[in-house]
Amino acid sequence: MSDATGASGPTEPTGTDEGGGADGRRVRVVLVDDHRMFRTGVQAEIGRTDITGVEVVGEAADVDQAVTVITATRPEVVLLDVHLPGGGGVEVLRRCSPLMSDAESPVRFLALSVSDAAEDVIGVIRGGARGYVTKTITGTDLVDSIFRVQDGDAVFSPRLAGFVLDAFASTDAPPVDEDLDRLTQREREVLRLIARGYAYKEIAKQLFISVKTVESHVSAVLRKLQLSNRHELTRWATARRLV
């Protein structure tokens, strides 16, 4: 299991087995993830408000639902998956930008994703998320990360912090890749796995989607990039260091 770290160093013990809530603090949270069973698991793990201090006030499975629920509930923190139907986590951040910039009661976002790809991490951070942790995080550390994000801290799983530091340390912004920007977050994930040599069945298992959905994503990627087959796709991804 990975522990979460903030910009100032490793997570400190919370003083309880469950993390958070020990000092009577409360935080209102919305869960955004397209897998219902995962949302149920997170709710069961962190949503015991009397122990953790976390109150789950809403859930959403896609971009439109997320924007609607977040706008209606105005939580302090949103746990946001990167890959969502309707445009991905970056689209949620874009549409919720006014809520993030509210001076009195800002809505803050913490990405919670199975992906540890640098482009996913950097994309949501540039979009306004305050942190990024992977789904290997423990319930205790997730609760602690939520409270730290509520306080305005930046929180990352250890190996992901380097991606952000490297991306923002340079004075020169990375060039915009218009071809890559045409792809949705999910299409990028499928592209990366295809380029690594995964079979369709393996991709389906890894991303918890059907083989037919994988085929649809591959067809969309080939069409958008004007490529003919997976071999050309692999060369394209390798040239851009996406593998």
Side-chain angles (χ1 to χ4, degrees), residues 29-51:
V29 172
V30 165
L31 305 178
V32 180
D33 193 287
D34 59 343
H35 294 107
R36 182 180 59 81
M37 290 184 66
F38 179 76
R39 297 198 310 272
T40 300
V42 173
Q43 166 81 293
E45 183 75 19
I46 71 173
R48 294 166 290 174
T49 309
D50 58 332
I51 298 175

Side-chain angles (χ1 to χ4, degrees), residues 126 161-174:
R126 288 193 185 281
F163 296 155
V164 180
L165 291 174
D166 290 344
F168 289 93
S170 174
T171 56
D172 298 323

Side-chain angles (χ1 to χ4, degrees), residues 201-216:
K201 288 184 178 180
E202 294 173 320
I203 297 173
K205 183 177 180 180
Q206 178 129 345
L207 299 181
F208 303 101
I209 57 179
S210 69
V211 173
K212 181 170 288 188
T213 300
V214 174
E215 293 172 347
S216 296

Side-chain angles (χ1 to χ4, degrees), residues 46-114:
I46 71 173
R48 294 166 290 174
T49 309
D50 58 332
I51 298 175
T52 66
V54 176
E55 180 187 1
V56 178
V57 297
E59 299 181 12
D62 58 37
V63 170
D64 288 340
Q65 286 180 14
V67 174
T68 298
V69 172
I70 293 166
T71 302
T73 60
R74 296 296 293 265
E76 282 88 30
V77 177
V78 177
L79 288 181
L80 180 68
D81 192 12
V82 174
H83 300 138
L84 294 168
V90 171
E91 179 64 12
V92 175
L93 291 165
R94 185 187 70 79
R95 291 169 60 177
C96 289
S97 178
L99 301 180
M100 287 190 283
S101 59
D102 187 321
E104 294 185 1
S105 56
V107 176
R108 294 189 168 104
F109 288 79
L110 173 61
L112 175 62
S113 176
V114 70

Side-chain angles (χ1 to χ4, degrees), residues 102-154:
D102 187 321
E104 294 185 1
S105 56
V107 176
R108 294 189 168 104
F109 288 79
L110 173 61
L112 175 62
S113 176
V114 70
S115 171
D116 61 0
E119 63 266 28
D120 286 340
V121 178
I122 294 168
V124 295
I125 297 304
R126 288 193 185 281
R130 294 295 305 171
Y132 194 118
V133 295
T134 61
K135 291 181 178 180
T136 58
I137 192 170
T138 66
T140 300
D141 284 337
L142 181 56
V143 169
D144 187 64
S145 297
I146 290 169
F147 276 101
R148 296 182 70 175
V149 167
Q150 181 191 26
D151 290 337
D153 291 345

Side-chain angles (χ1 to χ4, degrees), residues 166-192:
D166 290 344
F168 289 93
S170 174
T171 56
D172 298 323
V176 175
D177 190 326
E178 294 183 358
D179 289 331
L180 188 61
D181 284 348
R182 293 192 184 100
L183 307 182
T184 66
Q185 292 291 337
R186 180 64 87 187
E187 288 168 352
R188 294 184 191 190
E189 186 67 19
V190 171
L191 163 64
R192 185 164 47 250

